[in-house]
């Protein structure tokens, strides 16, 4: 058994390591170190929690078995999952965090003596408030994450699902949750507790269905924040310092990231929290795209344009992730640099389907960090660049975001690739992006469409350049 004072010290060390982990993950150069700090902090927290139980009873053995089984399943899934499915994986894991918070709250409510919270029907008021809030947020996180998973997986339509009176209904349900928590604390009725959970599961579902595909990266980030606050609430119930610190860090960092992304997409932060954006009536010009002329080319055409350029800006997107073309792209860029051509990478905050998706892929291909620039750093350079090479980045390059107030992506800052002298756009077809709208960039006079698998096309371009 470990003393309470020593446990507090180790939990503090664990919390510091989690903070260092977040700091490390803020930059590609220090991300590996950040991961190490996070793993070390979690190992310390779990070990101290076990040693604080006081004995190695049968219950301890069962918990250890469950951790090994769950950890093995998680490790297997994480090892096998492709990078293209990472957003779905994150959404799925968020749902499990929320569900875990709900289960702990149920356990504490039904057997408060085991948690030193009082007796059934006479639970400490502070603990009951913490428990009910943690359970409600956990339920919202679970059902919301399930909907996000289904949308990302393609099982459910990525388009906004709306109905008349949706926002007033959401407001009524949210107010009813507050009223139910107050009633639960007053009566400690088990019926009120179960109703609170059911209503919380419902509002999680209703908050996410009106959000369209273009906004899913922000949803993932916000659900991450919700899962952290749910964990923190349950940490107060269990009086576990490590869980409180970890939950608060995840909750606050997720909220800050969501705020940053909302600014990058010209969205309202409070609309994210309330599920109020993405519900725009989608209008698309897909109906007349067959009549609009496009210029298409091949690898030789692309190689000729890039060999005669002095500067090239690469714009990676989800299509690169699907084709796993990052390594082939790195080889093509190395070939261009051997020909004294300046090459940079432009990353949109929501390129791909989760924050940092493209950064991870480029880091995997060992792309130098000093060649990778965020939108605000490089957007002005497109006007002076000879070639923009867009590899599967659809919605984040769509000029309609600046011109059509009826578009679901209107107001979202996009990469100004159309200002380049020439635009090479690698895509399998003229199909719309995840937002479900056509891309006006396809039909620009200076755009040359390269219809092919991204990896295959990049490899052919590299051969043609050589």
């Amino acid at each position: 058994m470990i003393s309470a004072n020593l446990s507090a010290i180790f939990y503090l060390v664990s919390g510091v390591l989690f903070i260092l982990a977040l700091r490390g993950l803020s930059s590609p150069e220090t991300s590996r170190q950040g991961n190490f700090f996070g793993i070390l902090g979690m190992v310390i927290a779990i070990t101290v929690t076990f040693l604080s139980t006081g004995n190695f009873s049968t219950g301890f053995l069962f918990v250890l078995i469950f951790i090994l089984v769950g950890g093995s399943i998680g490790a297997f899934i994480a090892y096998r999952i492709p990078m293209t499915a990472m957003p779905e994986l994150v959404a799925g894991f968020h749902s499990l965090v929320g569900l875990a918070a709900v289960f702990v709250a149920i356990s504490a409510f039904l057997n408060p003596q085991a948690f030193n919270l009082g007796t059934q029907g006479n639970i400490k008021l502070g603990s009951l408030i913490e428990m009910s809030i943690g359970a409600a947020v956990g339920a919202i996180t679970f059902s919301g994450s399930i909907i996000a998973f289904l949308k990302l997986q393609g099982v459910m339509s990525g388009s906004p699902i709306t109905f008349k009176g949706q926002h007033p209904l959401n407001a009524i349900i949210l107010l009813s949750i507050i009223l139910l928590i107050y009633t639960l604390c007053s009566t400690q009725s088990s019926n009120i507790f179960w109703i609170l959970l059911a209503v919380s599961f419902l509002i999680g579902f209703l908050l996410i269905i009106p959000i369209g595909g273009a906004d899913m990266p922000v949803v993932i980030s916000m659900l991450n924040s919700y899962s952290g606050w749910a964990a923190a609430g349950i940490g107060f119930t269990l009086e576990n310092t490590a869980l409180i610190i970890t939950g608060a860090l995840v909750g606050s960092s997720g909220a800050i990231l969501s705020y940053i992304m909302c600014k990058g997409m010209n969205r309202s932060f409070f609309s994210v929290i309330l599920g109020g954006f993405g519900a725009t009536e989608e209008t698309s010009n897909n109906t007349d795209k067959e009549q609009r002329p496009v210029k298409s080319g091949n690898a030789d055409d692309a190689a000729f344009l890039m060999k005669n350029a002095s500067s090239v800006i690469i714009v990676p997107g989800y299509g690169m992730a699907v084709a796993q073309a990052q390594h082939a792209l790195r080889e093509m860029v190395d070939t261009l640099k051997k020909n004294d051509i300046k090459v940079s990478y432009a990353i949109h905050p929501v390129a791909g389907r989760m924050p940092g998706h493209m950064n991870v892929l480029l880091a995997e291909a060992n792309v130098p960090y000093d060649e990778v620039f965020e939108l605000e750093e490089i957007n002005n350079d497109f006007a002076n660049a000879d070639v923009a090479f867009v590899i599967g980045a659809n919605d984040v390059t769509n000029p309609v975001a600046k011109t059509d107030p009826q578009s679901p992506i209107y107001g979202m800052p996009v990469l100004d690739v159309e200002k380049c002298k020439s635009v090479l756009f690698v895509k399998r077809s003229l199909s719309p992006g995840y937002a479900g709208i056509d891309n006006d960039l396809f039909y620009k006079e200076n755009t040359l469409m390269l219809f092919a698998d991204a990896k295959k096309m990049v490899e052919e371009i590299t051969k043609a350049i050589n």
Side-chain angles (χ1 to χ4, degrees), residues 191-349:
N191 290 333
I192 296 296
F193 179 76
W194 296 116
I195 293 173
L196 172 64
L197 288 181
V199 172
S200 298
F201 280 125
L202 176 62
I203 192 61
F205 171 81
L206 293 175
L207 284 175
I208 304 302
I209 60 170
I211 298 177
D215 298 318
M216 287 311 292
V218 189
V219 174
I220 295 295
S221 176
M222 201 66 233
L223 288 171
N224 176 53
S225 179
Y226 289 167
S227 69
W229 296 124
I234 296 303
F236 279 107
T237 300
L238 301 178
E239 297 182 351
N240 186 295
T241 307
L243 195 53
I244 295 171
I245 294 174
T246 305
L249 287 172
V250 172
S252 57
S253 61
I256 292 170
L257 178 59
S258 299
Y259 175 74
I260 293 171
M261 293 179 69
C262 285
K263 287 187 65 178
M265 297 175 67
N266 195 32
R267 305 296 193 189
S268 165
F269 180 70
F270 290 103
S271 292
V272 180
I273 299 174
L274 301 176
F277 70 83
T280 308
E281 190 75 29
E282 290 194 12
T283 59
S284 174
N285 55 356
N286 289 344
T287 54
D288 65 335
K289 72 177 181 181
E290 296 298 331
Q291 288 73 43
R292 301 175 69 183
V294 296
K295 294 192 297 183
S296 62
N298 54 34
D300 291 330
D301 299 324
F304 176 79
L305 286 172
M306 285 197 279
K307 282 177 67 175
N308 289 280
S310 59
S311 62
V312 175
I313 299 179
I314 310 290
V315 182
Y318 188 67
M320 184 187 76
V322 172
Q324 288 291 287
Q326 60 270 25
H327 295 284
L329 181 65
R330 167 68 194 273
E331 292 179 19
M332 186 192 80
V333 169
D334 287 343
T335 303
L336 290 173
K337 289 194 288 189
K338 289 177 182 177
N339 287 275
D340 296 324
I341 299 169
K342 179 185 176 183
V343 182
S344 305
Y345 296 82
I347 306 294
H348 192 280

Side-chain angles (χ1 to χ4, degrees), residues 101-114:
V102 172
F103 283 153
V104 171
I106 292 173
S107 178
F109 184 79
L110 297 179
N111 188 15
Q113 297 94 324

Side-chain angles (χ1 to χ4, degrees), residues 19-233:
I19 294 172
L20 292 175
L22 288 175
R23 173 62 180 168
L25 292 172
S26 65
S27 170
E29 293 96 327
T30 57
S31 59
R32 292 181 185 275
Q33 187 181 58
N35 270 322
F36 172 76
F37 286 142
I39 293 170
L40 181 59
M42 187 56 68
V43 168
I44 293 174
I46 292 173
T47 302
V48 172
T49 300
F50 275 124
L51 294 178
S52 298
T53 58
N55 60 75
F56 293 87
S57 61
T58 305
F60 176 91
L61 181 61
F62 275 120
V63 171
L64 187 60
I65 291 173
F66 292 147
I67 286 179
L68 291 175
V69 172
S72 299
I73 294 173
F76 177 77
I77 293 174
Y79 179 76
R80 294 294 300 274
I81 201 78
M83 271 302 301
T84 50
M86 193 60 68
E88 294 96 300
L89 178 67
V90 172
F93 283 171
H94 287 165
S95 73
L96 296 179
V97 174
L99 190 61
V102 172
F103 283 153
V104 171
I106 292 173
S107 178
F109 184 79
L110 297 179
N111 188 15
Q113 297 94 324
F115 299 90
N116 298 318
L117 303 179
T119 59
Q120 194 167 12
N122 190 29
I123 301 174
K124 299 174 186 175
L125 179 60
S127 298
L128 193 58
I129 294 173
E130 297 156 3
M131 181 196 311
S132 55
I133 293 176
V137 177
I140 293 170
T141 303
F142 174 74
S143 55
S145 297
I146 292 297
I147 297 302
F149 174 85
L150 294 176
K151 281 177 173 276
L152 290 165
Q153 192 70 15
V155 176
M156 178 183 287
S157 172
S159 301
I161 300 174
T162 60
F163 54 87
K164 189 175 181 180
Q166 188 171 40
H167 295 308
L169 175 62
N170 289 348
I172 292 172
I173 294 176
L174 288 170
L175 289 174
S176 69
I177 289 176
I178 297 173
L179 181 61
L180 285 167
I181 292 175
Y182 174 79
T183 306
L184 177 62
C185 293
S186 302
T187 64
Q188 302 208 11
S189 166
S190 59
N191 290 333
I192 296 296
F193 179 76
W194 296 116
I195 293 173
L196 172 64
L197 288 181
V199 172
S200 298
F201 280 125
L202 176 62
I203 192 61
F205 171 81
L206 293 175
L207 284 175
I208 304 302
I209 60 170
I211 298 177
D215 298 318
M216 287 311 292
V218 189
V219 174
I220 295 295
S221 176
M222 201 66 233
L223 288 171
N224 176 53
S225 179
Y226 289 167
S227 69
W229 296 124

Side-chain angles (χ1 to χ4, degrees), residues 444-457:
K444 296 288 184 180
E445 183 65 27
N446 60 332
T447 299
L448 185 68
M449 299 298 298
L450 305 173
F451 296 113
D453 173 81
K455 183 178 180 180
K456 183 179 179 182
M457 174 57 70

